Structure formats: structure tokens, C-alpha cells
Amino acid sequence: MRRKQHGRRARKKKRKRECRETTVKSVTISHEPQFVALRRWLQQRGLSSKLLVPAHFSDTGRGLMTLQPIKADDLVISLPEKCLLTTSTVLRSYIGEYIERWKPPVSPLLALCAFLISERHFGQRAEWKPYIDVLPQKYTCPAYFSDEVINLLPRSLSGKALEQRAVVQELHSSSLGFFSSLQPLFRQPVESVFTYDALRWAWCSVNTRTVYMEHQHSPYMSRERNVYALAPYLDLLNHCPAVQVKASFSHVSRCYEIRSVQGCKRFQQAFICYGPHDNQRLLLEYGFVAPGNPHSVVYVDQGTLQQCICIRDSNQLAQKLLFLKKNDFLANLTLSLDGPSWRLMTALRLLSLRTEQYPFWKSVLLGEMVSQDREEWSVDAALRLCHYLMVDNTRALDKISQLTERADASLKEQLAVVECLRREEQGILGLNQEMLQSLQKQLLPSRQNSMHNLAV
Ligand SMILES: C[S@@+](CC[C@H](N)C(=O)[O-])C[C@H]1O[C@@H](n2cnc3c(N)ncnc32)[C@H](O)[C@@H]1O
């Protein structure tokens, strides 16, 4: 019999297994007209595999289900080059000559977005219609969030969410000239085709669905990295942090190939891994959260740090924060399933130093403890951080439940994603609180022996 594991490692392993083992209901949707059309269209372009069918899964939504068991190292999907939508496709299309003429050259991302928007606009007449028809109508990435929803995100994420929205807005306003140059292709005024809404949809389609594929630089495109390929059908594969796959374009078969590392049972969802991303990154880049994500962390931003540490002398605090910043110890401070990160505890130990202990800062940066009472101070501060962040989560969750009651379907979807993130973070904080409280107990005897002043 296998030895039962307790503690953090076991919890982490259990979380890792979760994508595959929880009871999930699935319904195939391969008979739906848009998928029948897409399969037919892809077959004409050389896709032959019948291993995967589109299905709706109760936990992840739309994805791909295996019809046969997939063994370790088997091909999951092999998508011929002809089925890939890349900047080469765009340059060969009706938009190509306009891109070639436009100065300064457009970015690969803008070229793909302009093509997606045009194809969606052309509807029945579009060559890529079968693909466009299965793309989501909208996304739950922060580019779609109102200020009200952005304010419900953890502080460490809301800034990045605002940035994403600003990036898309700026791309739209800076591309108006290029869009105008495409007018000869359209009967309607281009302003009604290349709207901000259309660009946001295309931007999110590229950001959430492209696979990584390096392309040679084209003299007609700007120098920004050209690593995108839209991969119809293959892009129905959802993410699971525990799954490992090998994915790349094969110059031998001239197909984009995904090979399974662990294999997959029959009639289960075939997953890939988008990368070892934490939940905040998944929400930002892909508009979803993976419950039980072993890579997930709670970030402690500077504002939260300042709220929770008791340093009465404001000059001393400013000096310490400056020092932490100079030594790159103010960013990436996290609490994970393994407890507070080494960086966070090191930052707290530095903040805990009394003036006479400043000469020890180098050893603290190397991970050394300065004294028992400073260690207690740091653990107490970490506990206050947990408490503060948990209160913040509770407040946000209350607000989400109030808003959900009167929200339309689209806002409900956005709120559900934010709620999931907040709940996952609350779970991590609860675990950290337990760990820190038991650490506090271990340190307690010394505290009882000597009455230390915990404030610096
Ligand atoms: C490449 S697409 C995968 C197919 C997608 N579900 C669809 O219906 O088109 C990426 C998007 O799928 C969704 N997704 C991927 N993995 C997911 C997961 N584990 N749970 C929930 N949604 C997921 C997210 O909306 C993400 O932006």
C-alpha cells in the first residue's frame, strides 16, 4: 500500500492531480453545424486525425475530448501548415498589398488583428469563415473589464489590468491611419469596421489563442517579435497546470505537432499546459483561473506591506523601503502553498532590523536570522499581511456577490472569474496563516522568557 502523505507536499500533489480526477460532466458538441463546417474545412486543408472531438466540460467549458486512449509520447494533434493563420497568411491575403505599402511597417500583432477583423466583417465571403465562426464572441480578459470590475481585483493585479486595457486602447488609436488605408477593401466606412470593440476582440483572440511559432522577419513588418500562429481546432485545447506536452512546428512533417508526455484516458478532456503560470497571470493573459493551480501565489505589493508593518519612525521606514527597492526586494513578494516565499521573509527580516542591527543587512540578504526577537517580529508581520489580505478578499467577495445579483450575463462571467481568483487566494492565505501560527507557537517559549518590544 502507498504511504499516505501529509502536509504541504501531499496537498500540492493532490492539487496537481485535480484537473484529471475530479468528476467532470462532458457533452460532445461535434455535431453542431459550426464544428461540422470547421472539420470539413480543415480536412480539405489536410487535417486527418479523428482522435479529438469538441465537447463542453462542466469544469472548464468548451474543450477537446479524446475518442481513443492517448499513450505517453503519442501525437495528440498534428495540424498542417495550411491550417495555420500566421503573418505569412495575412501577407498573402487581400490585405497584404496594403501592409506592404504602409509606413512605418505594422506590427505582426496588428497585421493578424486587422485580418481577423476583416474576415469577421466579410462573413459568408470570408475564406476563414469556418474558423471565425467558432471563435468566442467576447473574452473575460481585463481588456473587457469596467473600472468597477478592475477594482475588485487584488491590488497587485489591478494595475496590470489597467495597463492591458490601455495597451489595447493605444493600439487602436495609433492604428487609425493604417485602418483608413484599408478603405478600398470595404463598402462601409472603415471606422465602422475597425472599431475599438473589434480590435479588442481580435487582440484577445490573438493573445489567448495563438501558439508559439517563430517566423522569419518580413521587411513589411515592424521589428516586434513575430511568434504568433493561430491554430484552428488545436486552439480548442484547454490548460491544465499538471499536464506536460511537447509542442512545436515540425519542419519535417510541416505540421504544428502536440505530443503528450503522460498520455490521456479515453473520453477525457485532452489538456495542454500554457506554461507554469500563477492564477493572476492566467486571468490577465487568458481570462480564466485554474482552481487548485500549484503555481498559484498571493502577491504582496508595497502598499499592503506598508499597511501591515509596525514601524513608527517614518524616516526609518522610508530608508528601509528605499534599501529594499535598491536591492530589488520590493517586487515579487509572495505567499504560496509552501508558505511565505524566501524573498518575502527576507524583506520582512530587513524591515525588522533595529538601528544598531543595520550592519547585519548583508547577512540578512543572504538568508540569515539576526535574532530570535527579530524573527518573531517578522513572523508576526507576515501574519498581519495574511490577515489584511484575507479581509480584503472577504470585502471583495461580498461586493462580487452583491454585483452578481443585478449583473447581465457578460458581467456575471467576468465576476465569476474574479470570484474564483479571490477564493483561490483566500485558500492560500488560510494555509499560510496556519503555517505562520504554528511557527509563532514554536517561537513562543522565547517570547515568554523575554519581553520584547515587537515594534521597531
Ligand atoms: C486556447 S483557448 C482554449 C479553448 C477555449 N476553451 C474555447 O472554447 O475556445 C484558451 C481559452 O480557453 C479557456 N480556458 C483554457 N483552459 C481553461 C481552464 N482550465 N479552465 C477554464 N477555461 C479555460 C480560457 O478562456 C482561455 O482564454
Side-chain angles (χ1 to χ4, degrees):
M1 214 171 90
R2 269 164 51 118
R3 196 159 57 92
K4 198 164 177 183
Q5 285 179 305
H6 295 283
R8 265 181 268 161
R9 279 186 62 199
R11 264 196 306 269
K12 247 191 151 176
K13 271 195 162 178
K14 179 173 173 285
R15 281 175 164 242
K16 271 194 155 191
R17 285 196 303 264
E18 266 166 11
C19 290
R20 285 177 292 154
E21 284 185 8
T22 43
T23 25
V24 173
K25 290 202 180 76
S26 57
V27 184
T28 63
I29 48 175
S30 54
H31 57 280
E32 290 184 1
Q34 74 267 34
F35 288 111
V36 174
L38 179 67
R39 287 242 24 158
R40 194 177 305 134
W41 183 77
L42 289 170
Q43 272 160 13
Q44 285 162 5
R45 292 169 172 244
L47 177 71
S48 55
S49 161
K50 293 189 174 72
L51 182 62
L52 303 170
V53 289
H56 187 275
F57 299 89
S58 54
D59 55 346
T60 60
R62 196 172 65 165
L64 288 176
M65 184 170 75
T66 59
L67 289 183
Q68 298 296 330
I70 297 174
K71 292 198 291 296
D73 224 30
D74 273 358
L75 268 178
V76 178
I77 190 165
S78 175
L79 195 68
E81 190 173 19
K82 263 185 151 179
C83 305
L84 298 173
L85 199 176
T86 64
T87 48
S88 312
T89 322
V90 179
L91 283 170
R92 283 195 307 266
S93 77
Y94 48 88
I95 281 193
E97 59 178 293
Y98 295 86
I99 291 180
E100 288 176 15
R101 277 202 295 267
W102 187 254
K103 297 277 173 316
V106 302
S107 67
L109 171 66
L110 182 62
L112 283 171
C113 287
F115 184 69
L116 283 178
I117 296 169
S118 307
E119 286 289 280
R120 188 168 73 154
H121 175 81
F122 288 136
Q124 294 297 337
R125 289 179 289 145
E127 186 189 351
W128 287 77
K129 174 179 163 44
Y131 178 51
I132 302 288
D133 282 351
V134 299
L135 287 177
Q137 306 280 318
K138 54 183 167 355
Y139 294 88
T140 45
C141 299
Y144 276 82
F145 290 1
S146 62
D147 283 347
E148 193 174 39
V149 179
I150 288 187
N151 285 336
L152 293 167
L153 293 170
R155 203 148 61 177
S156 48
L157 184 59
S158 55
K160 291 179 189 157
L162 285 169
E163 237 170 69
Q164 182 181 94
R165 229 173 47 177
V167 163
V168 184
Q169 278 161 356
E170 157 62 23
L171 182 64
H172 184 251
S173 52
S174 63
S175 306
L176 293 175
F178 168 63
F179 295 150
S180 295
S181 78
L182 302 177
Q183 185 62 70
L185 292 169
F186 300 90
R187 268 186 238 132
Q188 285 89 339
V190 276
E191 297 77 42
S192 65
V193 179
F194 295 94
T195 58
Y196 171 65
D197 223 31
L199 183 72
R200 182 172 59 171
W201 166 80
W203 189 92
C204 287
S205 299
V206 173
N207 209 42
T208 64
R209 307 185 75 86
T210 42
V211 290
Y212 184 91
M213 184 175 163
E214 289 195 2
H215 306 282
Q216 269 192 342
H217 171 68
S218 154
Y220 304 116
M221 301 251 162
S222 70
R223 280 271 161 203
E224 272 132 306
R225 276 156 62 84
N226 190 353
V227 289
Y228 311 102
L230 281 155
Y233 211 70
L234 183 150
D235 68 359
L236 290 169
L237 286 163
N238 282 326
H239 164 85
C240 174
V243 160
Q244 274 176 279
V245 292
K246 292 177 194 155
S248 63
F249 181 77
S250 160
H251 291 279
V252 179
S253 66
R254 301 222 60 86
C255 289
Y256 195 92
E257 296 180 345
I258 294 191
R259 210 168 272 279
S260 175
V261 170
Q262 297 114 320
C264 178
K265 288 183 197 154
R266 190 184 183 199
F267 298 138
Q268 294 224 330
Q269 178 163 195
F271 284 106
I272 56 173
C273 180
Y274 300 173
H277 305 317
D278 62 53
N279 276 337
Q280 291 202 2
R281 173 106 190 258
L282 287 177
L283 197 160
L284 187 69
E285 303 290 349
Y286 302 97
F288 77 101
V289 165
N293 182 353
H295 304 296
S296 237
V297 290
V298 175
Y299 288 91
V300 177
D301 63 294
Q302 187 179 334
T304 305
L305 194 63
Q306 272 173 257
Q307 290 279 332
C308 297
I309 47 175
C310 301
I311 298 181
R312 292 190 202 112
D313 180 340
S314 56
N315 280 340
Q316 204 188 110
L317 175 63
Q319 206 183 342
K320 284 177 173 174
L321 288 173
L322 192 67
F323 178 81
L324 284 174
K325 194 168 183 179
K326 268 192 194 153
N327 286 281
D328 191 27
F329 264 88
L330 265 189
N332 233 348
L333 306 178
T334 56
L335 299 140
S336 76
L337 289 166
D338 289 328
S341 67
W342 178 84
R343 283 175 67 81
L344 175 60
M345 288 317 290
T346 304
L348 291 176
R349 283 186 190 116
L350 264 164
L351 288 165
S352 80
L353 291 182
R354 296 178 194 281
T355 331
E356 67 274 15
Q357 292 169 321
Y358 283 5
F360 297 120
W361 66 268
K362 264 193 187 157
S363 14
V364 174
L365 281 190
L366 291 171
E368 272 183 42
M369 257 189 244
V370 167
S371 67
Q372 182 88 3
D373 78 312
R374 295 302 83 193
E375 202 53 23
E376 285 169 19
W377 189 100
S378 309
V379 171
D380 285 354
L383 263 168
R384 278 195 301 278
L385 283 172
C386 281
H387 179 72
Y388 179 90
L389 291 166
M390 286 174 94
V391 170
D392 184 53
N393 270 329
T394 310
R395 226 179 272 139
L397 285 165
D398 286 348
K399 187 90 207 294
I400 290 168
S401 103
Q402 284 165 21
L403 283 177
T404 304
E405 276 176 30
R406 53 183 165 85
D408 62 13
S410 154
L411 178 58
K412 271 198 177 107
E413 272 184 49
Q414 295 176 4
L415 291 171
V417 177
V418 181
E419 179 180 352
C420 189
L421 178 72
R422 288 290 192 166
R423 289 201 189 284
E424 288 295 306
E425 297 210 346
Q426 197 73 325
I428 294 175
L429 289 167
L431 277 175
N432 276 268
Q433 201 176 38
E434 277 174 35
M435 287 178 213
L436 287 161
Q437 278 164 348
S438 80
L439 198 58
Q440 204 179 34
K441 276 194 199 126
Q442 287 168 29
L443 294 167
L444 202 61
S446 75
R447 185 187 295 218
Q448 282 164 344
N449 291 341
S450 56
M451 291 295 289
H452 292 298
N453 175 10
L454 289 182
V456 178

